[in-house]
Amino acid sequence: RLHAALPAIEVGDTLQFVSVLETVDREPRFPGEFIPGRQARREGVTAVAELIPDGCAESHASLNVIKPDHPGISVWMSRQRERFIDAIYESGISAPSAAFLTAVLTGESSYLDYDLKATFATAGIAHILALSGMHVSVIAFMVSLLFFPLGLAGKRRMAMALTIFVLWSYAFMTGLSPSVFRAVVMATVVFGGIMLRRDSSPLNSLCLAAIVILLFSPDELFSPGFQLSFAAVAAIIMFAFELTPGWKMPVFLRLIWQWMAVCISAVAGTAAISAWHFHQVPV
């Protein structure tokens, strides 16, 4: 925790400091203090420190911020994300609308009002505020419309390649969260299969996304977001089709039935995980 506005610290900077480190499982200093021990361990945080830089009245730490000479692609994309958020707030729309757009487009929900979060949670649609495959599918659809003229010009493969490039750029900009990464990998496999004129298996694509994520970040296996995301999609792939009857019915009725089958499959696939982590089963 840095108790000063300066020096400015950005993603990718290296910090050199002298201070006393404390474990994240320390006892609360005052009643009601939040001790993020479990969450910190999930994010790879093993210790915390209070930094009051030189020049302050209560200075007890020295801090040196080292800027990277050649920031990596993840750092560069993170900075683009911050610029994108600034552009949303400078667009002239109201602050609540800007906060909502920031949450659904970038996954940054810290700007949202607590009452709004509670309202979405009570309505059972809090997942809209968290990045997921739904957001990726909407973006993929809009990008496909943008590149639709290329398909008419006989450049269908080029349009799909550009769509894949945009989706991966979006995934990097949002920090490669498991749900977005999973959706982008699956979309890449589907588009790649079409480009190569090969069939693709949704379940194989899902497993490929899980393997790639765990290769680079094995700790994600114990993350509720990773477990819920993959369990929900796996259940939809395996059970939603089985719950849809094969006999003839009106189109609107079949659409409603399929929508209910998807919801039931997702809830059934995530019920045990939700009960374990959050002590409740979604109804």
Side-chain angles (χ1 to χ4, degrees), residues 20 28 30 35 65 67 84 93 123 132 164 243 258 264 269-270 283:
V20 177
F30 51 84
I35 306 296
V65 179
K67 300 291 183 180
F84 182 66
I93 61 177
S132 64
I164 293 174
L243 293 176
Q258 289 175 342
I264 293 172
T270 59
V283 294

Side-chain angles (χ1 to χ4, degrees), residues 1 21-27 34-41 44-49:
R1 302 180 188 88
L21 294 177
E22 299 179 351
T23 63
V24 291
D25 293 325
R26 61 177 171 77
E27 293 297 323
F34 176 62
I35 306 296
R38 188 175 181 184
Q39 183 64 28
R41 285 194 298 273
V45 178
T46 57
V48 295

